[in-house]
Amino acid sequence: MKTSEVIPCSAFMAVVEYMKRSLTFTFPEGKRDGQGRWFPSEREDCGLTATIRAPSRAWPNSYWKAAHSLKHCAALHGVTIDEARRALKALRLHHSDMAISRLTADQIGTLAGGAA
């Protein structure tokens, strides 16, 4: 990563959310229907249902799996996937995935060089 690149604080927040979901510390908001298919809440959707195949009885977790991706967490926090990838790369230089999942907003603000 170039030293002149500025990574927004929200990109670091997206990475922390991604790590929490990957390690199953948190889960996306949503509900399952009577057939076991998972659907995201309105806030959680952020375009997810427009780009992923709808769940079916045979594949009930298509939205669930997509809601755990870095791309989706980046969209939730209003950053591009490239910004989120740069933030993930920067964090993994000095932190394990477990340590990343435990970062607080204040710590992220310090890492990003400003207030969270």
Side-chain angles (χ1 to χ4, degrees):
M1 184 171 76
K2 300 174 190 171
T3 55
S4 62
E5 286 184 275
V6 176
I7 301 171
C9 194
S10 52
F12 288 107
M13 295 296 290
V15 169
V16 171
E17 181 68 27
Y18 167 68
M19 283 298 154
K20 287 180 179 180
R21 289 181 182 197
S22 295
L23 298 169
T24 64
F25 293 143
T26 61
F27 300 101
E29 294 175 7
K31 293 183 180 179
R32 293 204 179 267
D33 67 4
Q35 305 297 317
R37 297 172 293 208
W38 184 84
F39 293 91
S41 67
E42 189 175 324
R43 184 194 79 79
E44 187 74 40
D45 187 348
C46 73
L48 176 70
T49 55
T51 59
I52 304 297
R53 70 183 295 256
S56 63
R57 284 188 197 177
W59 303 97
N61 295 315
S62 55
Y63 290 159
W64 175 259
K65 185 174 179 181
H68 284 78
S69 69
L70 180 60
K71 182 179 178 181
H72 179 70
C73 291
L76 278 176
H77 289 274
V79 296
T80 65
I81 184 64
D82 291 332
E83 290 171 323
R85 284 182 182 140
R86 285 197 312 269
L88 179 60
K89 185 177 179 180
L91 287 172
R92 280 187 167 159
L93 286 175
H94 303 288
H95 303 284
S96 67
D97 288 357
M98 182 68 74
I100 292 170
S101 72
R102 292 180 177 163
L103 290 173
T104 65
D106 290 338
Q107 291 169 325
I108 291 168
T110 301
L111 289 171

